[in-house]
Amino acid sequence: MNESTLPRLPEKCRVTLLALGDVGSTLLLGLRLLGGDVIRSIGICDVRPGAAELLHAQYTDLTAAPAHYDMVFITNPTSLHAEALRQVKGRGEAL
């Protein structure tokens, strides 16, 4: 895929993280450092209730999460990536 075929992202992105383990937590820190100039909102989908208590949005079931996001980072255990991708595929515009 070259740059001309990549989806165009908005100026401020709505981001969803699937899982808030070691990788997701590190990614979350990086997204927060980018700040409000780049990130409009961050949603978390994690099967552990309370895993993201300090965030604006948390879902324990991906089907309950809003489908209006610009990026999804799949950061759950590798063995669960395929199922997570199946669940998000078609929910956002770029997927």
Side-chain angles (χ1 to χ4, degrees):
M1 193 179 276
N2 62 42
E3 283 188 39
S4 64
T5 61
L6 292 174
R8 187 152 189 89
L9 293 172
E11 191 172 312
K12 290 187 176 188
C13 293
R14 296 165 296 187
V15 179
T16 297
L17 297 177
L18 302 185
L20 198 60
D22 291 340
V23 173
S25 296
T26 302
L27 182 56
L28 176 61
L29 177 61
L31 292 170
R32 284 183 160 181
L33 289 172
L34 285 173
D37 291 342
V38 178
I39 304 297
R40 180 186 312 169
S41 65
I42 300 172
I44 299 293
C45 180
D46 196 299
V47 296
R48 299 166 298 148
E53 291 175 347
L54 301 177
L55 296 176
H56 297 287
Q58 177 191 353
Y59 307 92
T60 57
D61 179 355
L62 186 57
T63 59
H68 56 277
Y69 41 71
D70 301 306
M71 289 182 227
V72 174
F73 293 95
I74 298 176
T75 58
N76 60 352
T78 305
S79 62
L80 302 174
H81 282 187
E83 179 57 29
L85 183 58
R86 274 191 287 278
Q87 289 184 30
V88 298
K89 189 171 179 161
R91 288 181 51 92
E93 292 178 22
L95 292 173

